[in-house]
Amino acid sequence: MRLEAITWDRLAEQLADRLLKLEPADGGAWPRVGFDGAPAARPVDLAERVAEALRVRGRPSLVIGAEGFLRPASLRLEHGRRDAESYYGGWFDTGALWREVFGPLDPGGTGRVLPDLWDPVTDRATRSPYVQLPPGGILLLHGPLLLRHWFPFDLTVRVLLSQGALRRRTPEADHWTLPAFERYEGEADPAGTADVLVRADDPRHPAWSG
């Protein structure tokens, strides 16, 4: 796939303009957008830039991180603190994401979304209040391994790092997660299935598929 150089600010503006025209595939009132990428790729940064670009354009949005929906430590660390298999399949509470984020945005839903559920530092519920996303408001969900769960995204953005860049930019203490991302590439083909591909090997000079 041919990628063209772009700045992060311009990329956010281009995506925001595209999202203004985005209609939910299920006929609901809330478009849902996924920003998929390993933590080292910083998909959160792009999601927040897009949210700001949407705000300037008068369109409400809500940025949510999948890391706010981790399972309790007793479950995700059942096989040890550095088990890549568990990270791949058991760290994120996808059931809670379906129930608390995607469910309220279904056609006829309330739009009342829980922004996070679990604090991995305290290993307790965050007790965050629900957020009311008005009709037309856009969900911007970011996190790793998103494209293997069949979430009902209306647009997906893959923030990609080469294997070398992923290893360099992942803290050494987290290198045990790298096999999970390698497996993800092979099984889910996120770069091939995402609607928009952003390469971020050089964080100062991204490129995208347009």
Side-chain angles (χ1 to χ4, degrees):
M1 180 181 295
R2 183 180 178 85
L3 303 179
E4 61 182 52
I6 194 170
T7 66
W8 287 112
D9 286 342
R10 184 61 179 156
L11 173 58
E13 291 171 0
Q14 294 269 24
L15 286 173
D17 287 339
R18 182 168 177 176
L19 296 187
L20 291 178
K21 306 170 188 175
L22 184 65
E23 296 289 340
D26 60 7
W30 300 275
R32 299 143 300 187
V33 182
F35 292 82
D36 176 67
R42 302 293 299 168
V44 56
D45 293 346
L46 181 55
E48 290 177 345
R49 284 177 183 266
V50 171
E52 175 59 19
L54 287 168
R55 185 193 67 79
V56 171
R57 288 158 172 76
R59 188 71 173 268
S61 65
L62 179 62
V63 178
I64 290 182
E67 69 275 5
F69 288 83
L70 291 178
R71 301 173 76 196
S74 61
L75 297 176
R76 69 178 188 274
L77 305 180
E78 182 179 3
H79 299 289
R81 293 183 176 273
R82 297 190 171 193
D83 186 80
E85 192 76 15
S86 294
Y87 181 77
Y88 186 76
W91 269 48
F92 296 92
D93 192 342
T94 56
L97 279 166
W98 279 101
R99 182 179 67 252
E100 303 290 359
V101 177
F102 290 104
L105 304 182
D106 282 342
T110 64
R112 190 168 173 264
V113 175
L114 189 66
D116 52 55
L117 178 65
W118 201 259
D119 185 337
V121 176
T122 63
D123 198 36
R124 295 185 180 186
T126 59
R127 301 187 184 277
S128 295
Y130 283 85
V131 175
Q132 187 68 47
L133 190 61
I138 302 175
L139 170 68
L140 307 174
L141 178 67
H142 63 84
L145 313 174
L146 291 182
L147 303 186
R148 60 179 295 265
H149 299 297
W150 300 100
F151 290 138
F153 292 122
D154 299 298
L155 185 82
T156 52
V157 180
R158 168 67 172 166
V159 186
L160 175 68
L161 296 177
S162 66
Q163 287 189 1
L166 177 61
R167 177 169 289 275
R168 289 193 304 272
R169 291 172 56 185
T170 298
E172 187 172 350
D174 295 329
H175 276 192
W176 63 271
T177 63
L178 296 178
F181 294 118
E182 183 177 357
R183 177 181 173 186
Y184 180 54
E185 293 288 344
E187 292 187 356
D189 186 24
T193 58
D195 298 303
V196 177
L197 182 62
V198 178
R199 182 172 287 280
D201 286 4
D202 183 342
R204 300 166 300 175
H205 303 293
W208 78 315
S209 58

